[in-house]
Amino acid sequence: MGLLECCARCLIGAPFASLVATGLCFFGVALFCGCGHEALTGTEQLIETYFSKNFQDYEYLIDIIHGFQYFIYGTASFFFLYGSLLLAEGFYTTGAVRQIFGDYRTTICGKGLSATFVGITYVLTIIWLLVFACSAVPVYIYFNTWTTCQSIANPTKTTASIGTLCADARMYGVLPWNAFPGKVCGTNLLSICKTSEFQMTFHLFIAAFVGAAATLVSLLTFIIAATYNFAVLKLMGRGTKF
């Protein structure tokens, strides 16, 4: 009974909002990092195979892609650590400790720590908004390309000539304007859209975008929970079960 009673008290005082936010954060970051990494690799292969034969045309793009991949590695490590710290802070600011070890008074250091987490999470959310916006850009580019392919596959739905329907990587800044050929048109573009590489890369970017959105929601949840917990600690001087 002692063990069961202890577990029951822990569950009563568990920070469910922080638990949900942590799970959502880990899921979102894993989806964003894993799918984003593979989608960038697929984009590199598509550019090399279909849009440019000169390595100098996409050398800078490859450096950017590799930079983003290193950023993904760091993001995964950072969020795993920071999410764990936020979850621990959520447990600290609940009534679980008070119920198990008796009534307690939070210290000035504890309040300062909670305030620090609120501030860091707020800044991190602003930064992640930019990451979320950037993750929408490749989805937009691939969606436009896919839409063009649908117009080529169904010529009766468009008044333009099939030969004039193109996907120009230079237009999006992916390749420099002097890159050759830089664009693919007509039936050649349709054949690219039908490849497994294009389809997989497109869906991976969508999944990475969803992962970024899930991470953003988790950060907003962390902000709400941490702010509420800090307010209770400061104004009432005790833990909360949020």
Side-chain angles (χ1 to χ4, degrees):
M1 281 300 294
L3 179 61
L4 292 176
E5 184 179 355
C6 180
C7 292
R9 289 180 177 178
C10 287
L11 289 175
I12 291 174
F16 292 107
S18 296
L19 287 171
V20 172
T22 302
L24 191 60
C25 179
F26 287 168
F27 168 77
V29 170
L31 195 62
F32 172 78
C33 293
C35 295
H37 182 278
E38 293 303 313
L40 289 171
T41 301
T43 299
E44 180 181 342
Q45 294 174 351
L46 288 171
I47 292 295
E48 292 175 353
T49 305
Y50 301 107
F51 287 90
S52 181
K53 303 300 182 182
N54 187 358
F55 176 74
Q56 293 181 347
D57 290 340
Y58 55 85
E59 181 180 7
Y60 181 66
L61 174 65
I62 291 179
D63 291 338
I64 294 177
I65 288 177
H66 291 169
F68 273 116
Q69 288 177 333
Y70 285 121
F71 168 77
I72 285 174
Y73 300 147
T75 299
S77 303
F78 172 79
F79 271 95
F80 177 79
L81 176 61
Y82 190 69
S84 300
L85 290 175
L86 284 176
L87 181 60
E89 193 271 343
F91 272 103
Y92 168 76
T93 51
T94 60
V97 177
R98 174 172 49 82
Q99 291 181 11
I100 295 174
F101 298 104
D103 196 15
Y104 79 102
R105 292 284 186 270
T106 183
T107 62
I108 296 178
C109 180
K111 293 179 181 179
L113 184 64
S114 297
T116 301
F117 275 116
V118 172
I120 293 176
T121 307
Y122 180 81
V123 174
L124 194 61
T125 302
I126 300 300
I127 296 174
W128 195 258
L129 275 172
L130 299 177
V131 176
F132 175 69
C134 290
S135 67
V137 174
V139 176
Y140 171 76
I141 295 174
Y142 274 88
F143 178 76
N144 280 349
T145 304
W146 178 81
T147 302
T148 304
C149 288
Q150 295 304 305
S151 299
I152 297 173
N154 300 280
T156 57
K157 296 183 179 180
T158 179
T159 57
S161 173
I162 293 179
T164 61
L165 297 175
C166 305
D168 194 339
R170 300 169 299 182
M171 182 178 65
Y172 300 106
V174 177
L175 293 175
W177 281 107
N178 60 352
F180 181 82
K183 65 178 180 178
V184 181
C185 303
T187 55
N188 291 331
L189 177 60
L190 181 60
S191 63
I192 294 175
C193 291
K194 290 181 178 180
T195 61
S196 59
E197 292 85 359
F198 179 87
Q199 295 289 337
M200 179 61 70
T201 303
F202 184 23
H203 288 93
L204 284 172
F205 271 123
I206 294 175
F209 177 74
V210 172
T215 305
L216 181 61
V217 172
S218 71
L219 288 173
L220 292 173
T221 305
F222 272 131
I223 286 179
I224 296 172
T227 303
Y228 180 84
N229 287 335
F230 172 71
V232 173
L233 286 174
K234 185 175 179 61
L235 299 177
M236 301 178 63
R238 60 181 177 83
T240 176
K241 301 177 183 178
F242 190 73

